[in-house]
């Protein structure tokens, strides 16, 4: 049997923390898409008020940010689906995202931004939680 897919009948019930992570991922997706839409609206307003030639330089920064934000939003919904259904790729993606978030937070603290201690704790807790046996079993990752 492939270790990435575990039949639903064998898979343990979804842990409550995975449900919470799924809900958080959906909220992040909605926020990302709203931010992308807002950036597009700001660009459209700037183009209307100042004209396309002046807002063109403005758009060089806003349009890619809007697109990137919307792509992250869509990715968040896909990840939420994977978390909800216990897909192995969602577990791996969540681990990678938490490691990146942890590294960014540590770099922020290294540069003097002690507000990054909050995300460091948050991502460390997510890493610890995702590595517990019940969560690993739900995602078909076996016991350690």
């Amino acid at each position: 049997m492939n270790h990435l897919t575990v039949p639903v009948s064998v898979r343990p019930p979804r842990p409550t923390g995975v449900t919470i992570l799924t809900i958080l991922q959906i909220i992040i997706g909605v926020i990302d898409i709203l931010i992308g839409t807002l950036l597009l609206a700001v660009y459209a307003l700037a183009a209307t008020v100042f004209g396309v030639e002046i807002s063109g330089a403005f758009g060089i920064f806003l349009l890619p940010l809007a697109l990137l934000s919307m792509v992250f939003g869509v990715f968040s919904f896909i990840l939420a689906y994977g978390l909800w259904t216990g897909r192995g790729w969602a577990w791996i993606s969540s681990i990678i995202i938490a490691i990146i978030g942890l590294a960014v937070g540590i770099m922020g603290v290294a540069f003097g931004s002690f507000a990054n201690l909050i995300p460091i704790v948050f991502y460390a807790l997510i890493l610890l939680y995702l590595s517990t046996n019940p969560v690993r079993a739900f995602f078909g990752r076996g016991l350690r």
Side-chain angles (χ1 to χ4, degrees):
M1 176 182 293
N2 185 349
H3 76 282
L4 294 177
T5 56
V6 175
V8 176
S9 60
V10 177
R11 182 174 294 157
R14 181 182 314 104
T16 304
V18 173
T19 302
I20 293 168
L21 288 175
T22 302
I23 292 168
L24 289 174
Q25 205 60 50
I26 291 169
I27 292 169
I28 289 168
V30 168
I31 291 171
D32 283 344
I33 289 175
L34 288 176
I35 288 172
T37 304
L38 179 64
L39 290 172
L40 288 177
V42 167
Y43 173 72
L45 179 65
T48 303
V49 172
F50 300 114
V52 175
E53 55 279 343
I54 293 176
S55 65
F58 195 51
I60 288 174
F61 295 105
L62 277 186
L63 294 178
L65 283 176
L67 180 62
L68 189 63
S69 183
M70 289 183 170
V71 167
F72 282 152
V74 170
F75 176 73
S76 291
F77 288 125
I78 293 169
L79 184 57
Y81 167 78
L83 289 169
W84 185 258
T85 57
R87 307 286 187 207
W89 56 263
W91 180 81
I92 292 169
S93 297
S94 297
I95 294 280
I96 291 169
I97 290 168
I99 289 170
I100 292 170
L102 196 60
V104 169
I106 290 170
M107 287 189 320
V109 169
F111 285 106
S113 175
F114 292 102
N116 282 308
L117 290 173
I118 294 170
I120 287 172
V121 170
F122 180 72
Y123 287 119
L125 289 174
I126 289 176
L127 280 173
L128 288 172
Y129 178 71
L130 289 173
S131 62
T132 62
N133 286 334
V135 174
R136 290 174 60 88
F138 175 70
F139 286 104
R141 303 317 262 177
L143 301 177
R144 288 185 296 160

